[in-house]
Amino acid sequence: MAKRLLVAYGLWALGGPLGLHHIYLGRDSHALLWMLTLGGFGAGWLWDFWHLPGWVASANGARAPGDRTGTVPALSPLCLVGQVTVGMYFGLVAALGLPWVPALLAQPLAVGLGVQLVSSVGDQRVQAPSVLGTAFLTSLLFQGRVLAVLPVSLAATVAAQRHRRHRPRGMPQPRLAARLYRLGLACLAFTAPLAYRGLCSAAGVLG
């Protein structure tokens, strides 16, 4: 079914920080990133306004470039900043929401997944083992300290840039119900530890 620009802008206005327009256009990685960061901390949601026409055209198959599978995408400074920022954000969330999990496990895993999520936005992809392996090795050097989220995120970002490739085109997309189910599980995995920690803190104060 052809995507309509007016519908995309309507979803952007009504639920842009939650990535509703990206779900409509089949950009699930981008939608998940927006859900977990509330529209790229607000700035990314506003930035989307100028890119919606191109994304709608791409979703409809117009102006699609030739097969670039396996080639290296152009370097994007915005993507670099996003990878480092979201990696640090995920690492800090893991430190707050999973204090009972050893830092040498929770921190690099969270940072690596944050960098990996930003790396999978759009028409590019990155090999997850390379990003996660680099994050774990860097975290070992800093003994999992909270302040290590910056160097771990930087190292994982460098690994992601070295292994970035264009995503294969023409791959069949799962049905909407399956896509929403996966997005829901991912959001639950991210928010459940924070909610549990918040409830425990509130119970401790009230008790």
Side-chain angles (χ1 to χ4, degrees):
M1 183 181 296
K3 307 299 181 182
R4 297 182 179 274
L5 182 60
L6 184 60
V7 175
Y9 271 116
L11 293 174
W12 173 88
L14 295 175
L18 297 178
L20 294 185
H21 53 299
H22 290 301
I23 296 177
Y24 173 68
L25 297 175
R27 301 168 58 87
D28 290 351
S29 295
H30 212 155
L32 178 59
L33 178 62
W34 262 212
M35 291 177 186
L36 301 183
T37 61
L38 290 181
F41 310 108
W45 168 57
L46 297 176
W47 185 262
D48 283 354
F49 181 86
W50 312 105
H51 293 274
L52 277 176
W55 289 337
V56 170
S58 179
N60 289 329
R63 297 183 298 173
D67 186 16
R68 299 178 295 176
T69 303
T71 60
V72 179
L75 182 64
S76 170
L78 185 61
C79 182
L80 283 172
V81 174
Q83 287 170 330
V84 175
T85 303
V86 175
M88 292 176 58
Y89 169 62
F90 274 41
L92 293 175
V93 168
L96 293 173
L98 302 171
W100 58 86
V101 179
L104 286 176
L105 175 62
Q107 183 192 85
L109 179 61
V111 172
L113 289 176
V115 173
Q116 178 70 25
L117 178 58
V118 178
S119 303
S120 61
V121 167
D123 64 346
Q124 65 177 4
R125 61 176 181 174
V126 170
Q127 298 175 358
S130 302
V131 176
L132 294 176
T134 302
F136 274 99
L137 290 176
T138 308
S139 183
L140 285 175
L141 296 177
F142 293 90
Q143 299 299 312
R145 294 183 176 88
V146 176
L147 294 179
V149 292
L150 176 57
V152 173
S153 185
L154 285 171
T157 297
V158 171
Q161 292 300 317
R162 287 177 57 87
H163 296 89
R164 69 188 190 280
R165 294 293 186 272
H166 277 291
R167 190 187 305 275
R169 302 189 63 88
M171 296 181 63
Q173 197 172 52
R175 302 183 66 171
L176 179 60
R179 293 167 53 207
L180 294 177
Y181 176 72
R182 294 176 183 176
L183 290 172
L185 286 181
C187 289
L188 181 63
F190 184 87
T191 57
L194 288 177
Y196 176 76
R197 181 67 184 276
L199 290 175
C200 290
S201 299
V205 171
L206 295 176

